Amino acid sequence: MLTGKVLPDKSETKEQEAREHLVSEHCLYLTPGLYVRLDQLVREHAGMPLAVFDLDERRSGVLEPMDWAYCRPAGDGRPGCSSGKSSAGITTIEIANKIPLDEIRSARRLELDLVRDIPLELFYEWLVWHEIHHSVHDDPLVAAGLDTCGHPGIKSAGDRIKLMQAMELEADRTSFYRLFPEHSLMAGTPQGLQKVKEIEPYLQLLHEIRAQRGIKQMNPPVDNSLAHR
């Protein structure tokens, strides 16, 4: 199986980065060269092609700021979706053709400062690994079924919210360590650290709910050849 191109020398690395890393005053763009590489990642690790949507066109409807990518059940009626069989269920991954820089700067994640921790030239790759994680673990269908799964650990709407936050925390961590396995993550503020401590116990509950659906915990080893250095 193809797992991505191992760049043989620095000159070729610079040429590929020039093709992939396109930033204007306002946006980071998904270039054709970068799309090809990310599509390969999604096909290999999630079993589907990567769909692209036009950000301006989508935001003329109901799209909220910072919705730059999706993993959702296939065939849910969203324009631009393409169906495919993932490792755990039927999902589709969509990604925006561009990402506004001011939204990256103002985004708030529990453990990540997106400007500080994710270089712009790796931002799309981090985003795609995040959605691959959701796809492999069938998170869109798990989330949709939280009200009816019957797990005794879900006692309130607050538990369901914490489980959704746990999904995001786990996907952020997995995608970050794909790119930077030698680094560590920590909440940036005492308030953030407290929130992480509140959410972390729900990771085990999330794993139990996935297992209840027959979804195995799949955390593939890091392939450093896919991450630029």
Side-chain angles (χ1 to χ4, degrees), residues 98-179:
K98 64 181 180 181
I99 301 172
L101 297 180
D102 60 345
E103 293 182 14
I104 295 175
R105 296 183 188 111
S106 60
R108 296 292 177 263
R109 310 296 295 181
L110 284 170
E111 292 179 317
L112 281 169
D113 180 320
L114 295 181
V115 174
R116 179 196 66 202
D117 296 326
I118 311 295
L120 274 180
E121 64 268 23
L122 293 177
F123 193 84
Y124 263 113
E125 186 167 343
W126 172 80
L127 196 59
V128 164
W129 277 122
H130 180 106
E131 299 306 328
I132 287 173
H133 178 87
H134 283 318
S135 174
V136 167
H137 292 88
D138 210 10
D139 282 348
L141 296 176
V142 171
L146 288 178
D147 287 333
T148 58
C149 75
H151 193 286
I154 303 177
K155 299 181 176 65
S156 66
D159 289 331
R160 290 189 288 274
I161 291 171
K162 286 292 194 298
L163 282 165
M164 299 286 284
Q165 292 171 331
M167 286 182 188
E168 290 303 306
L169 181 67
E170 188 180 66
D172 274 2
R173 288 175 172 180
T174 300
S175 56
F176 180 81
Y177 290 130
R178 278 281 185 176
L179 299 176

Side-chain angles (χ1 to χ4, degrees), residues 66-88:
M66 300 181 196
D67 287 347
W68 311 313
Y70 296 94
C71 174
R72 64 176 75 254
D76 70 349
R78 174 71 71 180
C81 287
S82 60
S83 300
K85 181 71 174 173
S86 78
S87 302

Side-chain angles (χ1 to χ4, degrees), residues 48-70:
M48 69 187 78
L50 175 62
V52 179
F53 63 87
D54 184 282
L55 189 71
D56 293 332
E57 181 178 302
R58 185 71 60 84
R59 288 194 173 173
S60 65
V62 297
L63 193 69
E64 295 295 327
M66 300 181 196
D67 287 347
W68 311 313
Y70 296 94

